[in-house]
Amino acid sequence: MSLAQQFGFLDEYAKKEIRRTSLKAVAIPGYQVPYSSREMPMGRGFGTGGLQLTLALIGEGEVLKVIDQGSDDSVNAVNLRAFIEMTCPGVGTTRVTGEADLIQSRHRIPEKPLREDQLLVLQVPYPDPLVVVEASEEKRKQLHGEADYSRLLVKLYEDIVKFDEITISHRYPTRINDHYVIDPSPIPRWDVPKLHMSKALVLLGAGREKKIYAVPPYTKAEPLAFEDKPFRVEAFLDERGRRRACARCGCDSSFLDEYVDSNSGHQVYRCSDADWCDEQLTRRSAPEVING
Amino acid sequence: MAYVAIKGGGQAIEGSKAVLEYLRTRQGECAQPLQADTIQNQLRLLHGRVLSEGGVYHPRLASLAIKQAQGDSLEAAFILRAYRSTVPRLAETDLLDTRNMRITRRISSAFKDIPGGQMLGATTDYHLRLMRMELLNESPERFRAVSGEWFKDLNVDEIPDTFPKVLQQLRRDGLLAPLDEQRAQQTPFDITREPMIFPVPRSAALATLARGEQGSLLAIAYSNMRGYGDVHPTVAELRVGYLPVFLPHPITGKPMEIGEVELTECEVVAMYEADEEGGKPLFTLGYGACFGHNEVKAISMAILDRSLQNGVQHGPGNPSEDPEFVLLHVDGIESMGFCTHYKMPHYVTFQSDMDRLRATQAKQSQEQGE
Amino acid sequence: MLEVSAIWTAQVQQQNYRALLDAISHPGWVKSILHQAGSPASTAVLATLLDAEVSLADPEGLLEAADWPLLQASTAAPEEADYILCMGSKAAQFQPRLGSLPSPEQSATLIICVDSLHEGELKISLEGPGVNGNADCAIAGLHPDWLSQREDWVCGYPLGVDLLLVDDSAVLALPRTTRVEVV
């Protein structure tokens, strides 16, 4: 008894539903379109929503990049890529952002600006930014329809009163095309501005919560903020207030991962986006910058 | 160095597979691999649970899933469910009537005697939970002899195939609403094809509960039993047996039996309610059914069906009456998937968390310094 | 041109889906649709999107009878349908579903057959999500009333309809968010 293998694992009806849903998602930017979401052979929460989108999107001859935490070598990225390679013969894979037609990612948007002919699929654990203020989905759908985000703004304001800072670190609520506020998936704040007027289409898939939504190209994507408390990305400043640089490639304009060097016991910073880091390294062949 | 830990993911996955396979086989030289038939028969209750939570009645593959998952019922149900995504749907059965069940056990706690009689069948309900030490070293001969001799003294012709339903009596006596034949003809909501947008019809709730994870169903139903709710059920009938499945013949269109599924069905009667259209007050009903022999699940489901109907009618007064709360949290494949996903790397989001905490801390020390 | 029946294959449908996705992501882009010789591109669009889960209205009887069973879609009145196949030269005689505030996706998608998406008497300029600045299009065979009717249908955003204009070989999309100006 063998697992019947068809291109893209899913049966064609499942793909059609995802395709119809994704077109609606693009037509109503930021709106979470419900779909039935089939079970995949990996855990709910491991990117099944993104994976279903990728399987419905991809065709022979296309080149795919899969990233998790900015790295193509992270266990989950390896696992998803291997599954797609197994079920989609004729699809190429790459680690180079610029070579990919389609990029599936968890938690990061590549540093290298995407092009019009590229497409980004983001894996989403929690699709609805309103869930923190309203537990009932039925009520949330009404609030979204009316673009009523007053309770979310109150929540942000309470943060400021309490901490004098907006404490949301990632999954930053972002308003799309002046109407729907989305959870942009657990990307850091660093990546949120990349959604604004992006040249590439961004599709977001939540498999467990059974929703697909989109940020179309050339569309406004504005993080919620207040005039006196603007939205701020991660700072990466050292003790003297200088921007830290990647210890490997020297780049001082990328999102950094922080490690404790097991030999020296010091904190080390390196680019989170592995391909970006490689590219900077080749371009500059910069000397090791030791973190002070 | 620490930061290379993220690399070499592929190798790590291969290694992890290998060690898992080692653990499956480590019993030693005289070990016998588990046979699918052994799992289906000797672990029949686990097997039934996986069939039910997996949502595909495929006994052989359910056994394989249990073997592969090394006995983890969530994981096994998951493997079965993922298999379902790859197979097309060829046909739909008409409504199946559980009055036609070939019964192996049926009881009612509402009446001392019921038409057809109580039939205790296989249950551990009245067994003392004492260790049967002799099973630790069971002789294969004795083991085979038990089943070999089982039918010897039974007059099979005397055992009725089916029994009338207890609810029929209650309906006849006007204590319960008559069967709504018209509603029975409606196409049920298909949770595998349509996204649930709340409010959902009762059929969507029943389908979700039928595939639900046993422990989750039990926990929420138990909350209702204990006091976060007031269903106060009486088990009108609990039946276990085999339900014949009919499909229309491809040429003649006449229904023909294509096999049977093992099923547990529970009907609970709950407190009566006034009729909104001025009729007599009537008992209310809760319904539960699942693949396999699983009475805890069927009873829990029947209670939840009742509590959810209460919630729909009067507004949810507690968690077990809230359709979103119950239906979005009982699926084992979804909840265990999301639970395990927290083990995946979350370096990036944690980096952002640290950034916010440091900024907030810095602000506070600045203020305190002023 | 393709062999007869290729539009029903998974491979062609995947490619046509991507053309549709490109089109709806970039209102104003004219994307080629792989289609059968002698059969309109609109049939290939329908084949890509429809199955037994959705309904189609064909008030003008544009679809070949033989294609209905292949599509598997149920038939519905235009007021009820998920998808509506329309003739561009004739103004709409129906009120499509616009969705609801909590569920705006429960609205119709209109597939409108026009003569040409490359040149024509109707010159329009587009603005909105997906359009970098603005996009100019020239269309032949679209009754001007369509645009004013569309205005009525999409003015209550997020409610609205999405249009797929299809000529003999290509598609151009006007999702509900696109602002259209006749120039």
Side-chain angles (χ1 to χ4, degrees):
Chain A
M1 203 178 309
S2 72
L3 191 67
Q5 286 296 346
Q6 52 210 331
F7 184 91
F9 182 78
L10 292 167
D11 74 69
E12 289 300 316
Y13 297 111
K15 287 184 198 161
K16 271 192 180 168
E17 192 206 3
I18 294 165
R19 290 169 182 167
R20 289 193 295 261
T21 308
S22 64
L23 294 181
K24 288 279 189 190
V26 175
I28 315 170
Y31 171 70
Q32 304 161 55
V33 191
Y35 77 116
S36 65
S37 185
R38 304 294 208 266
E39 277 83 8
M40 303 304 290
M42 51 277 290
R44 291 288 204 200
F46 285 66
T48 60
L51 183 62
Q52 288 179 71
L53 272 170
T54 297
L55 294 174
L57 283 159
I58 206 159
E60 269 182 61
E62 287 196 288
V63 177
L64 173 76
K65 174 178 165 77
V66 184
I67 337 171
D68 191 317
Q69 312 294 301
S71 165
D72 304 72
D73 286 313
S74 181
V75 273
N76 198 49
V78 169
N79 202 29
L80 290 173
R81 186 170 48 243
F83 177 74
I84 295 165
E85 281 171 342
M86 178 177 89
T87 54
C88 304
V91 165
T93 54
T94 183
R95 285 157 201 244
V96 181
T97 303
E99 287 176 359
D101 299 307
L102 216 140
I103 300 170
Q104 177 172 338
S105 176
R106 171 171 174 263
H107 292 195
R108 281 307 314 273
I109 296 176
E111 303 285 2
K112 197 184 177 75
L114 299 179
R115 302 184 309 262
E116 239 177 24
D117 62 329
Q118 292 180 305
L119 206 157
L120 176 66
V121 172
L122 288 173
Q123 302 170 198
V124 180
Y126 311 91
D128 199 329
L130 281 176
V131 78
V132 291
V133 291
E134 175 54 64
S136 157
E137 182 166 2
E138 200 180 337
K139 289 182 190 148
R140 292 200 301 268
K141 284 178 78 69
Q142 191 67 32
L143 293 173
H144 278 299
E146 292 163 1
D148 178 358
Y149 297 104
S150 49
R151 287 159 71 188
L152 202 56
L153 286 164
V154 167
K155 177 94 177 26
L156 292 186
Y157 182 72
E158 282 170 352
D159 258 18
I160 294 169
V161 171
K162 205 162 156 191
F163 297 112
D164 198 24
E165 270 289 336
I166 296 175
T167 61
I168 301 174
S169 60
H170 56 280
R171 290 176 52 208
Y172 198 95
T174 303
R175 189 184 282 250
I176 306 302
N177 186 35
D178 297 319
H179 189 104
Y180 289 102
V181 171
I182 63 163
D183 181 322
S185 88
I187 52 173
R189 303 190 306 292
W190 182 265
D191 287 342
V192 172
K194 296 174 189 164
L195 293 171
H196 183 64
M197 301 310 253
S198 158
K199 286 184 177 168
L201 166 65
V202 183
L203 287 170
L204 299 100
R208 187 180 47 83
E209 295 284 349
K210 305 180 175 65
K211 303 285 189 316
I212 288 172
Y213 51 108
V215 182
Y218 305 110
T219 298
K220 278 159 89 178
E222 297 160 311
L224 292 189
F226 299 95
E227 265 177 28
D228 54 338
K229 283 285 168 212
F231 165 83
R232 265 195 284 261
V233 299
E234 290 79 354
F236 297 110
L237 300 179
D238 66 14
E239 295 75 9
R240 279 171 283 177
R242 291 180 312 191
R243 176 58 154 86
R244 294 182 199 277
C246 169
R248 182 167 172 265
C249 73
C251 175
D252 61 0
S253 59
S254 68
F255 187 86
L256 299 173
D257 277 342
E258 175 181 330
Y259 314 96
V260 177
D261 186 315
S262 40
N263 296 323
S264 69
H266 288 146
Q267 274 156 329
V268 178
Y269 291 84
R270 275 177 51 162
C271 289
S272 145
D273 183 335
D275 175 57
W276 176 260
C277 194
D278 286 347
E279 194 182 309
Q280 304 312 303
L281 196 63
T282 338
R283 188 177 294 171
R284 305 180 193 188
S285 56
E288 283 274 288
V289 177
I290 308 298
N291 171 51
Chain B
M1 291 218 297
Y3 53 74
V4 293
I6 198 171
K7 309 284 179 197
Q11 256 181 312
I13 292 172
E14 287 311 311
S16 154
K17 275 185 199 157
V19 70
L20 206 59
E21 185 64 359
Y22 160 70
L23 290 176
R24 194 175 72 83
T25 58
R26 72 170 170 181
Q27 194 186 339
E29 274 179 20
C30 57
Q32 293 288 323
L34 267 172
Q35 296 299 309
D37 281 350
T38 310
I39 293 170
Q40 185 175 342
N41 289 290
Q42 294 193 45
L43 301 177
R44 61 178 191 91
L45 298 176
L46 170 64
H47 184 259
R49 180 170 170 174
V50 168
L51 277 178
S52 146
E53 292 173 20
V56 189
Y57 200 88
H58 199 313
R60 192 166 168 75
L61 288 186
S63 300
L64 173 61
I66 291 167
K67 175 174 174 165
Q68 210 176 309
Q70 302 179 32
D72 182 331
S73 66
L74 284 166
E75 191 71 40
F78 187 1
I79 297 169
L80 202 56
R81 191 83 75 80
Y83 164 77
R84 199 189 62 88
S85 292
T86 66
V87 282
R89 170 179 308 192
L90 300 176
E92 281 175 40
T93 71
D94 284 333
L95 210 61
L96 301 174
D97 192 338
T98 52
R99 281 177 294 198
N100 301 330
M101 257 170 104
R102 186 162 67 76
I103 300 290
T104 58
R105 160 169 163 77
R106 58 94 72 142
I107 52 128
S108 169
S109 52
F111 300 102
K112 188 174 175 190
D113 201 11
I114 46 176
Q118 306 260 12
M119 194 168 93
L120 200 55
T123 174
T124 56
D125 289 349
Y126 306 101
H127 287 204
L128 297 176
R129 269 65 167 202
L130 298 173
M131 291 289 179
R132 287 178 64 193
M133 294 298 180
E134 74 275 16
L135 296 188
L136 277 175
N137 274 309
E138 210 176 1
S139 92
E141 291 73 29
R142 207 194 138 270
F143 181 82
R144 287 177 205 128
V146 176
S147 64
E149 289 161 15
W150 179 250
F151 288 104
K152 214 171 63 183
D153 300 322
L154 283 179
N155 188 348
V156 179
D157 298 332
E158 275 179 15
I159 305 172
D161 269 351
T162 58
F163 294 85
K165 284 233 170 174
V166 175
L167 292 184
Q168 276 171 318
Q169 187 65 36
L170 290 171
R171 290 204 166 98
R172 202 174 303 142
D173 295 347
L175 301 174
L176 203 61
L179 266 182
D180 190 340
E181 297 287 352
Q182 233 176 352
R183 244 171 77 192
Q185 294 311 313
Q186 288 172 7
T187 310
F189 188 97
D190 186 345
I191 56 164
T192 70
R193 295 297 167 101
E194 291 172 71
M196 284 204 286
I197 300 168
F198 289 90
V200 294
R202 183 172 170 221
S203 59
L206 290 172
T208 305
L209 295 170
R211 298 205 301 186
E213 196 267 332
Q214 176 184 324
S216 313
L217 253 58
L218 174 61
I220 305 178
Y222 182 49
S223 74
N224 186 291
M225 300 177 217
R226 271 196 72 254
Y228 289 85
D230 54 357
V231 165
H232 299 295
T234 302
V235 175
E237 182 167 351
L238 176 88
R239 44 170 65 195
V240 184
Y242 295 86
L243 179 68
V245 176
F246 294 89
L247 270 182
H249 188 279
I251 295 162
T252 66
K254 277 191 188 153
M256 52 181 279
E257 190 175 335
I258 54 144
E260 54 182 17
V261 293
E262 191 184 26
L263 202 73
T264 307
E265 185 190 50
C266 177
E267 283 154 329
V268 300
V269 167
M271 274 317 290
Y272 57 83
E273 287 203 359
D275 187 273
E276 278 164 10
E277 278 133 40
K280 284 183 191 162
L282 294 165
F283 277 134
T284 54
L285 189 66
Y287 183 80
C290 58
F291 283 153
H293 183 177
N294 193 338
E295 300 176 14
V296 163
K297 180 167 177 180
I299 298 168
S300 300
M301 175 171 163
I303 291 169
L304 289 176
D305 173 40
R306 187 62 247 154
S307 63
L308 289 177
Q309 290 187 67
N310 280 347
V312 168
Q313 206 176 346
H314 306 295
N318 53 61
S320 65
E321 291 179 349
D322 183 338
E324 277 199 44
F325 184 86
V326 175
L327 301 178
L328 294 182
H329 296 115
V330 294
D331 190 77
I333 281 86
E334 282 169 13
S335 57
M336 76 78 109
F338 205 51
C339 178
T340 47
H341 114 281
Y342 284 108
K343 295 179 284 184
M344 282 204 292
H346 282 78
Y347 314 134
V348 171
T349 53
F350 193 66
Q351 189 67 51
S352 298
D353 286 342
M354 287 196 290
D355 168 87
R356 286 292 78 194
L357 179 60
R358 281 170 181 157
T360 311
Q361 281 179 344
K363 210 149 224 176
Q364 201 174 331
S365 25
Q366 207 180 353
E367 277 162 18
Q368 280 164 357
E370 276 162 11
Chain C
M1 292 291 181
L2 294 154
E3 296 282 312
V4 174
S5 88
I7 63 163
W8 305 102
T9 62
Q11 203 180 355
V12 169
Q13 289 184 3
Q14 183 270 337
Q15 292 181 46
N16 279 340
Y17 159 62
R18 291 295 291 279
L20 290 171
L21 186 64
D22 262 351
I24 205 152
S25 301
H26 300 274
W29 282 16
V30 177
K31 296 293 295 184
S32 292
I33 291 289
L34 300 170
H35 62 288
Q36 279 167 232
S39 166
S42 57
T43 309
V45 170
L46 293 173
T48 302
L49 296 175
L50 272 54
D51 60 22
E53 308 285 320
V54 293
S55 59
L56 171 69
D58 180 15
E60 305 294 334
L62 300 175
L63 191 65
E64 301 252 346
D67 289 329
W68 274 100
L70 292 168
L71 278 178
Q72 299 178 15
S74 56
T75 58
E79 287 73 20
E80 300 295 326
D82 299 312
Y83 294 84
I84 310 172
L85 184 59
C86 316
M87 189 141 60
S89 55
K90 201 175 143 190
Q93 307 292 316
F94 54 81
Q95 169 72 21
R97 272 167 48 204
L98 305 179
S100 64
L101 214 48
S103 298
E105 85 284 10
Q106 289 174 3
S107 49
T109 301
L110 276 56
I111 294 105
I112 306 177
C113 303
V114 299
D115 297 332
S116 171
L117 294 170
H118 295 91
E119 51 186 8
E121 66 283 3
L122 184 62
K123 306 265 195 290
I124 53 176
S125 175
L126 312 180
E127 244 182 38
V131 185
N132 187 11
N134 45 40
D136 296 322
C137 317
I139 300 164
L142 186 70
H143 194 287
D145 281 0
W146 276 106
L147 294 177
S148 55
Q149 274 165 328
R150 179 184 174 274
E151 282 304 311
D152 292 342
W153 293 334
V154 302
C155 66
Y157 186 80
L159 277 64
V161 292
D162 308 306
L163 311 189
L164 300 173
L165 307 183
V166 186
D167 69 7
D168 59 356
S169 64
V171 64
L172 178 152
L174 295 177
R176 65 194 70 189
T177 49
T178 306
R179 295 178 292 280
V180 180
E181 203 184 320
V182 180
V183 289

